[in-house]
Amino acid sequence: MTQPIPPSPALPKALGHIRVLDLSRVLAGPWCSQNLADLGADVIKIERPGAGDDTRAWGPPYAKDAQGNDTLEAAYYLSANRGKRSLTVDIASSEGQALLRELVLHCDVVLENFKVGHLKRYGLDYASLKEIRPDLVYCSITGFGQDGPYAHRAGYDFLIQGMGGLMSVTGERDDLPGGGPQKAGVALTDLMTGMYATVAVLAALTHRDRTGEGQHIDMALLDTQVAMLANVGSNYLNSGKPPKRWGNAHANIVPYQTFACEDGHLIVATGNDGQYQKFVEAGGRPDLAGDPRFATNPLRVQNRELLVPLLAEMVKRKKRDEWIALLEEKGVPCGPINDVGEVFANEQVQARAMAIDLPHPSAGQVKLVRNPIRMSATPATSGMAPPLLGQHTTEVLREVLGRSEEEIAALRERGVI
């Protein structure tokens, strides 16, 4: 059961003093701005009049209203736009551009993910905006960065997972049935770029607060994907050998993989020799603990083709939950492979209230996944559902820019907003 978040206007917000002008759409940029919104920033999401963020139409599924009918809010859009205010502006019009430049004077951060050079034609690039707001933190998110031979190419998560090496190490081994490259089931490159962008924005704001100096942040999906190869990238740089796919096994640790039980599948992740010994002893094979071929992890990696079939035979003799109870008692890391329904039914996930309900103007309530950041003094949770298209246009123009109702009506009549 999802847990509603009670309104707590008195709670302090870590970024309550920060305003963000968010020109990004789809996932990497909105993931960054949602993080900033959850941390308390006032995020003004700029969208195209009549259309909005592309992901608004990336359904089904859509949020449903009280009668069970689909609303216009795609679940994909809802996943990355909590806590923001939506302002519709025709960015291609001179009046719209002037309106955004005026908003920049009241913002600390600009976030955008247009193609390189695209915003320069509108006077909304970093160099132009720096002239009117020298301490501005301006974050650009692109597929390949602001320079280099690929700078002007469009970048998409799926392409970057392939180009950046992730798919070369994801999927079953080529010599086994079903072998071949696979993308991750979620858009990891987009999400990690959004996370790195969040860190960069916070670092730039800290620098600005110390020195008064703004700066341009250049985030690239490909850079992020190469960086998040982590130990896999390090393995290659220090060996000269491109790593291969290991499926649900691990290149450097054995056993660290899935096994078929009598009634399902089990993940066993032994991180040291002691855990390995407890694992095989629990399975009634203490001889495998004493076997000199398997005494240490380097030996187990070297002899995995001998050891893993023996372990697989051992594991399939017991049921999954029997194994989990047995190994947890002995301190051996293990767990099930849950589908997403089982994830949200899990008692630990429920205890941590990772599923939340937020009030929504057309759906009544929308179900979302809460931000995982837990801070004792400044909670990282927004009480605002993802906005309807243009929901806050009048509010933002009146509150931030001091426009009158008549002026706002005139802008709307001319198609600027």
Side-chain angles (χ1 to χ4, degrees):
M1 178 180 243
T2 57
Q3 302 293 319
I5 295 181
S8 303
L11 287 176
K13 295 292 186 179
L15 299 182
H17 60 303
I18 297 299
R19 180 173 288 140
V20 179
L21 189 67
D22 183 10
L23 302 176
S24 70
R25 64 269 189 224
V26 185
L27 189 53
W31 198 253
C32 171
S33 58
Q34 180 171 262
N35 279 329
L36 299 174
D38 282 347
L39 292 167
D42 176 17
V43 176
I44 301 172
K45 181 178 179 68
I46 304 302
E47 300 192 73
R48 292 172 294 168
D53 192 310
D54 295 343
T55 61
R56 287 183 179 275
W58 286 10
Y62 294 88
K64 295 187 181 298
D65 62 21
Q67 288 72 46
N69 300 313
D70 283 348
T71 66
L72 298 176
E73 311 305 303
Y76 195 116
Y77 163 78
L78 295 175
S79 74
N81 289 285
R82 177 179 58 244
K84 307 173 189 179
R85 298 197 283 176
S86 174
L87 168 62
T88 52
V89 177
D90 179 8
I91 196 173
S93 72
S94 58
E95 280 191 276
Q97 295 156 19
L99 203 62
L100 293 181
R101 282 193 291 272
E102 188 176 352
L103 277 170
V104 166
L105 297 174
H106 301 271
C107 293
D108 305 276
V109 179
V110 169
L111 181 65
E112 61 92 7
N113 62 350
F114 286 80
K115 289 182 180 179
V116 172
H118 187 87
L119 289 179
K120 186 174 183 179
R121 72 183 75 170
Y122 299 147
L124 296 172
D125 58 309
Y126 175 64
S128 299
L129 296 183
K130 181 183 178 183
E131 293 297 317
I132 62 172
R133 184 72 195 260
D135 64 345
L136 182 67
V137 171
Y138 188 107
C139 181
S140 298
I141 298 176
T142 57
F144 301 97
Q146 299 294 305
D147 53 24
Y150 292 179
H152 292 279
R153 291 190 184 184
Y156 296 90
D157 178 275
F158 189 7
L159 300 178
I160 304 298
Q161 285 196 35
M163 294 179 68
L166 183 61
M167 290 176 63
S168 77
V169 294
T170 303
E172 189 53 88
R173 288 164 41 176
D174 288 339
D175 59 337
L176 294 177
Q182 289 286 323
K183 72 178 182 66
V186 296
L188 283 181
T189 308
D190 273 343
L191 295 175
M192 282 298 294
T193 303
M195 293 301 297
Y196 272 113
T198 303
V199 173
V201 166
L202 295 178
L205 286 171
T206 298
H207 175 75
R208 183 207 66 172
D209 290 346
R210 286 204 318 262
T211 68
E213 180 184 34
Q215 60 185 297
H216 186 203
I217 299 166
D218 174 10
M219 295 298 310
L221 298 183
L222 183 60
D223 292 354
T224 296
Q225 180 54 69
V226 173
M228 62 182 274
L229 289 174
N231 60 294
V232 171
S234 183
N235 285 352
Y236 167 73
L237 291 175
N238 287 281
S239 71
K241 298 178 181 178
K244 62 181 181 179
R245 286 180 292 278
W246 288 98
N248 288 323
H250 195 289
N252 305 115
I253 310 172
V254 174
Y256 199 99
Q257 63 183 78
T258 58
F259 290 100
C261 306
E262 184 180 319
D263 62 344
H265 285 83
L266 173 76
I267 297 172
V268 177
T270 62
N272 56 53
D273 296 336
Q275 290 174 350
Y276 164 72
Q277 292 165 9
K278 292 176 182 178
F279 171 44
V280 294
E281 288 168 359
R285 293 295 310 268
D287 58 303
L288 296 179
D291 192 313
R293 295 172 298 175
F294 314 134
T296 66
N297 182 68
L299 288 170
R300 292 192 295 276
V301 170
Q302 180 180 336
N303 295 303
R304 76 165 72 221
E305 302 301 335
L306 296 173
L307 175 60
V308 169
L310 299 175
L311 297 178
E313 179 66 27
M314 177 187 79
V315 172
K316 73 179 183 181
R317 296 173 185 168
K318 301 181 189 294
K319 295 182 183 295
R320 186 191 73 174
D321 290 348
E322 184 181 357
W323 267 114
I324 291 174
L326 189 61
L327 295 181
E328 284 186 348
E329 180 183 352
K330 294 183 175 297
V332 178
C334 66
I337 299 175
N338 290 330
D339 65 29
V340 178
E342 291 169 324
V343 169
F344 286 104
N346 179 271
E347 59 184 355
Q348 180 64 21
V349 173
Q350 292 188 353
R352 298 287 286 178
M354 287 303 297
I356 59 175
D357 288 332
L358 291 178
H360 188 271
S362 63
Q365 295 278 328
V366 289
K367 300 179 183 297
L368 301 171
V369 182
R370 76 172 299 150
N371 194 303
I373 298 172
R374 301 293 178 109
M375 297 193 292
S376 62
T378 54
T381 302
S382 173
M384 290 173 53
L388 301 177
L389 179 60
Q391 179 180 341
H392 304 97
T393 298
T394 298
E395 174 184 299
V396 170
L397 294 180
R398 185 175 56 226
E399 173 192 312
V400 180
L401 298 185
R403 292 292 195 274
S404 67
E405 298 296 333
E406 292 76 15
E407 290 172 317
I408 294 171
L411 288 169
R412 200 180 301 277
E413 186 176 344
R414 293 196 296 273
V416 178
I417 59 174

